[in-house]
Amino acid sequence: MKILEDRIQSEGTVTIGGILKVDTFINQMIDTELMENIGEEIVTRFSNLGITKIVTLESSGIPFACEAARRLKIPAVFARKYEYVTLDDSIYQSRIFSYTRKKEMVIRVGKGLITETDKVLVVDDFLANGSAAMGLLDILAQSGADVAGVCVVIEKGFQKGREKIEGKGIRFEALVTIDSMENGKIEFRK
Ligand code: 5GP
C-alpha cells in the first residue's frame, strides 16, 4: 500500500527496542482519511467471504476496524486490555505479552459479542512476534467462531508473527511489510 509506505518513510521513527513510532497518523494522532483508505484496502483483500464481525484490540486497531466494518455493514468488536466493572464474569480472556509495554497482560471480550455463528476477521495495527494476534485467535477459538483471516496494517517481517499465524492454517495479510529497520533505515518488502 504505497500511500502507507510513503507515510511511514516520511513520518515514522525507529526507537530503541525495535519499535516503530507512527504516533502522527496511526497510534495517537489519527489521520482519518488514511483510516478510510486502510479500511477500504482491508475490505478489498477480504471480500466475499461472509465475514460477520471484525475483531481488534484496543485502542489503535479501533479506527480502521470501524472503517472496514462500516463498509461491510457489520459490527466491529474490540478486546479490552483493562478490567472494567461493566465486564462481568461472562468473558473470554487470553494472556498476551505486550510488545510495547514489555509485560504480560490479559485481553478480554464479553461472551455475548462473538458466538459460534460468526465468521471473524482479526485486524491490528502491528504484527511483531504475534502475541496479540494469537491472543485474539485464542479468544475466537473459545467462542467457536470461524476465522476468515488476520490482517495487520504494518508487519515487521523480520519477526516471528506471520509464521505463528500461518502455522495455524490461518490466512494472513499485511498492508505493508517492513523487512528491516536497521540503523533507523526502514526497508519495505517488494
Ligand atoms: P506482537 O504481539 O505481534 O508481538 O506485537 C503486536 C502488538 O504490539 C500490536 O498490537 C502493537 O500495538 C504493538 N507493536 C508491536 N510492534 C510495534 C511497533 O514497532 N510499533 C508500535 N507502535 N507498536 C508495536
Side-chain angles (χ1 to χ4, degrees), residues 13 15 17-23 26-27 57-61 81 96-102 124-136 152 154 156 158-162 164-165 178 181:
T13 50
T15 63
I19 293 185
L20 174 63
K21 263 185 92 173
V22 290
D23 286 5
I26 295 179
N27 282 153
L57 195 54
E58 68 175 345
S59 54
S60 301
K81 290 177 177 164
I96 67 166
F97 182 80
S98 168
Y99 191 84
T100 42
R101 287 161 198 259
K102 301 288 177 220
D124 201 8
D125 56 348
F126 276 88
L127 183 80
N129 290 319
S131 183
M134 296 307 277
L136 290 171
V152 300
I154 303 169
K156 293 192 290 179
F158 49 89
Q159 294 182 262
K160 301 277 179 208
R162 180 189 284 256
K164 288 185 193 154
I165 296 165
I178 294 173
M181 306 199 302

Side-chain angles (χ1 to χ4, degrees), residues 6-120:
D6 290 348
R7 203 64 186 272
I8 293 167
Q9 264 324 352
S10 62
E11 290 177 39
T13 50
V14 182
T15 63
I16 343 145
I19 293 185
L20 174 63
K21 263 185 92 173
V22 290
D23 286 5
T24 56
F25 53 106
I26 295 179
N27 282 153
Q28 191 162 16
M29 182 156 73
I30 297 166
D31 180 331
T32 53
E33 197 178 335
L34 182 66
M35 295 302 119
E36 280 186 28
N37 295 329
I38 289 172
E40 196 169 337
E41 181 69 24
I42 292 171
V43 169
T44 304
R45 291 184 188 216
F46 287 87
S47 60
N48 302 319
L49 292 172
I51 294 168
T52 61
K53 276 172 196 150
I54 300 213
V55 171
T56 190
L57 195 54
E58 68 175 345
S59 54
S60 301
I62 296 173
F64 51 85
C66 287
E67 285 295 342
R70 190 172 62 84
R71 281 171 173 73
L72 294 169
K73 297 187 171 26
I74 59 173
V77 177
F78 65 90
R80 289 203 186 274
K81 290 177 177 164
Y82 307 100
E83 282 185 277
Y84 286 81
V85 282
T86 49
L87 273 178
D88 56 21
D89 285 345
S90 45
I91 53 170
Y92 300 118
Q93 54 183 320
S94 191
R95 193 169 283 276
I96 67 166
F97 182 80
S98 168
Y99 191 84
T100 42
R101 287 161 198 259
K102 301 288 177 220
K103 64 171 193 183
E104 280 214 339
M105 59 199 307
V106 175
I107 58 170
R108 319 154 167 91
V109 174
K111 274 191 181 162
L113 305 181
I114 309 168
T115 71
E116 72 261 345
T117 60
D118 282 314
K119 185 162 186 183
V120 176

